[in-house]
């Protein structure tokens, strides 16, 4: 890896395994809506793309979110990255998401901005992402085959129309690939998350890995499906199981010769605060952070 690239990931706890021992990230939950329906999602809870499914995050306005970031930055100096990852899809809530990033770029310019999305609207907003210097973008991309996609996504809402089955999956997959290409052209570091769903995409993830590598993704994070029935997701209710640790590791190993694999993901909440694996979100609930430093009120 060249020195410039090393410097770009040096204090990002997700992009660098080494950094996650020393640097913290926080998420702000400003994005409630979503434009697709994944069969592993229950809308009442966080987006399972990149925030722990089955927990409810406290929604904030962009101004409240910026206030929270300033408070946390003053209390946790190792906090280097601000991510927006839900609880729905950040790019299905573009005004809220970009307003939040703008406020933070203005008030705390040293904090790196990070975005996680299902990718459907990525080509549409790539210019805005560039303008805001968002240097790290994650796409959750579970398949490159629309037939498999139809088993993972029940519908896709694109340009005021709802598409189901293979037709919907085709649109999503196309936009994800276009988005990957656009990120590469803009020299923005891209991580791909894939949710491993046994019997549906587990055998196919090596192919996904190959395709994203060719498109220039920097890092691949294969995450296990979490499908506890009490979360009320389609997969949970139909008895779809998640992979065992051994199955997950086997697929990660099969891909690892080809590109960098992320193996330290903790499937964070959409309002996570702290080092990966350390959950300090309850120290900074809305009730608490609004009280803490009223001078940050925007
Ligand atoms: Fe957050 Fe995601 Fe940015 Fe990291 S999390 S938006 S890239 S700052 Fe990290 Fe958490 Fe895993 Fe995500 S451990 S769920 S990979
Ligand atoms: Fe749920 Fe996220 Fe999928 Fe939207 S993208 S349906 S919020 S898991």
């Amino acid at each position: 890896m060249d020195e410039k690239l090393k410097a770009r990931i040096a204090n990002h706890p997700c992009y660098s395994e080494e950094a996650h021992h020393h640097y913290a990230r926080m998420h702000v939950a400003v994005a409630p809506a979503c434009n697709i329906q994944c069969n592993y999602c229950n809308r009442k809870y966080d987006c399972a793309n990149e925030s722990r499914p089955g927990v409810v995050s406290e929604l904030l306005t962009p101004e409240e979110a910026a206030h929270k970031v300033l408070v946390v930055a003053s209390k946790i100096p190792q906090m280097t990255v601000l991510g927006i990852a839900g609880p729905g899809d950040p790019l299905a809530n573009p005004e809220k998401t970009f307003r939040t990033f703008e406020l933070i770029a203005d008030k705390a310019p040293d904090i790196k901005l990070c975005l996680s999305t299902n990718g459907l609207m990525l080509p549409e907003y790539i210019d805005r992402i560039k303008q805001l210097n968002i240097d790290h973008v994650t796409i959750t991309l579970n398949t490159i085959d629309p037939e498999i996609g139809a088993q993972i996504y029940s519908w896709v809402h694109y340009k005021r129309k709802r598409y189901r089955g293979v037709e919907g999956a085709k649109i999503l997959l196309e936009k994800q690939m276009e988005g990957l290409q656009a990120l590469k052209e803009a020299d923005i570091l891209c991580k791909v998350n894939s949710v491993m769903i046994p019997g549906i995409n587990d055998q196919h993830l090596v192919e996904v890995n190959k395709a994203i590598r060719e498109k220039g993704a920097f890092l691949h994070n294969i995450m296990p499906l979490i499908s506890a029935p009490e979360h009320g997701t389609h997969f949970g209710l139909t008895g779809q199981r998640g992979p065992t640790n051994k199955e997950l590791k086997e697929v990660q190993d099969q891909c690892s010769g080809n590109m960098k694999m992320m193996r330290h993901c903790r499937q964070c909440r959409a309002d996570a605060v702290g080092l990966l694996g350390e959950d300090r979100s309850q120290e900074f609930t809305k009730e608490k952070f609004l009280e803490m430093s009223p001078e940050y009120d925007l």
Side-chain angles (χ1 to χ4, degrees):
M1 199 186 305
D2 70 37
E3 292 304 312
K4 227 172 116 204
L5 201 52
K6 265 193 204 157
R8 281 171 78 184
I9 60 165
N11 58 4
H12 195 305
C14 305
Y15 281 70
S16 155
E17 157 122 55
E18 173 55 29
H20 96 276
H21 299 294
H22 312 288
Y23 295 101
R25 54 75 189 97
M26 72 176 285
H27 292 165
V28 283
V30 294
C34 193
N35 43 18
I36 67 174
Q37 178 65 61
C38 304
N39 287 336
Y40 47 70
C41 178
N42 174 343
R43 291 306 176 69
K44 274 196 265 165
Y45 302 117
D46 285 352
C47 167
N49 273 334
E50 161 117 30
S51 36
R52 180 161 274 280
V55 296
V56 183
S57 292
E58 203 172 38
L59 267 181
L60 303 177
T61 65
E63 287 71 23
E64 288 166 346
H67 183 149
K68 181 173 179 180
V69 172
L70 295 173
V71 169
V72 172
S74 71
K75 307 256 179 226
I76 309 180
Q78 315 91 297
M79 199 277 289
T80 46
V81 176
L82 180 268
I84 302 186
D89 186 74
L91 297 182
N93 305 260
E95 293 319 320
K96 293 186 173 98
T97 294
F98 290 122
R99 174 82 186 129
T100 306
F101 280 139
E102 265 164 25
L103 286 169
I104 290 155
D106 181 41
K107 307 278 174 207
D110 291 341
I111 292 177
K112 278 190 162 85
L113 304 178
C114 192
L115 168 74
S116 173
T117 174
N118 60 38
L120 181 66
M121 298 310 283
L122 195 48
E124 191 97 355
Y125 292 116
I126 190 72
D127 291 338
R128 198 108 184 246
I129 291 170
K130 272 197 276 187
Q131 270 165 14
L132 277 162
N133 279 332
I134 298 170
D135 197 36
H136 299 77
V137 173
T138 296
I139 307 179
T140 298
L141 192 155
N142 302 315
T143 174
I144 52 168
D145 176 346
E147 300 282 342
I148 296 177
Q151 298 173 62
I152 302 177
Y153 307 106
S154 61
W155 52 256
V156 169
H157 193 268
Y158 185 66
K159 305 231 159 150
R160 295 165 186 241
K161 207 172 153 204
R162 192 171 298 238
Y163 301 87
R164 295 186 180 274
V166 175
E167 201 189 4
K170 238 187 195 156
I171 297 172
L172 176 67
L173 273 40
E174 251 174 53
K175 296 294 157 195
Q176 290 175 329
M177 281 298 160
E178 269 177 45
L180 257 176
Q181 181 71 31
L183 290 172
K184 184 180 171 192
E185 282 162 15
D187 192 29
I188 293 170
L189 287 182
C190 177
K191 167 162 76 62
V192 167
N193 285 356
S194 302
V195 180
M196 178 173 168
I197 312 161
I200 295 188
N201 72 347
D202 50 341
Q203 301 300 317
H204 169 65
L205 287 172
V206 174
E207 251 181 275
V208 171
N209 179 269
K210 186 163 173 276
I212 62 164
R213 189 178 65 213
E214 283 167 6
K215 284 274 178 196
F218 173 74
L219 186 63
H220 195 187
N221 175 20
I222 299 181
M223 318 189 294
L225 170 75
I226 300 178
S227 65
E230 62 271 24
H231 296 163
T233 65
H234 173 81
F235 280 151
L237 297 173
T238 53
Q240 172 67 51
R241 69 172 181 92
T244 62
N245 288 343
K246 186 167 168 274
E247 288 168 334
L248 179 68
K249 187 174 176 301
E250 268 168 19
V251 173
Q252 288 172 333
D253 288 346
Q254 279 170 31
C255 299
S256 67
N258 303 326
M259 73 183 284
K260 242 173 114 46
M261 301 298 293
M262 176 177 188
R263 297 186 193 237
H264 61 286
C265 176
R266 299 303 172 91
Q267 292 177 280
C268 317
R269 308 166 53 114
D271 60 0
V273 177
L275 295 171
L276 300 192
E278 169 194 65
D279 182 10
R280 298 181 61 177
S281 55
Q282 295 314 304
E283 286 173 45
F284 300 98
T285 57
K286 188 146 108 181
E287 200 186 4
K288 291 181 185 159
F289 79 74
L290 287 176
E291 290 289 305
M292 277 181 206
S293 298
E295 70 273 22
Y296 294 139
D297 202 0
L298 300 175

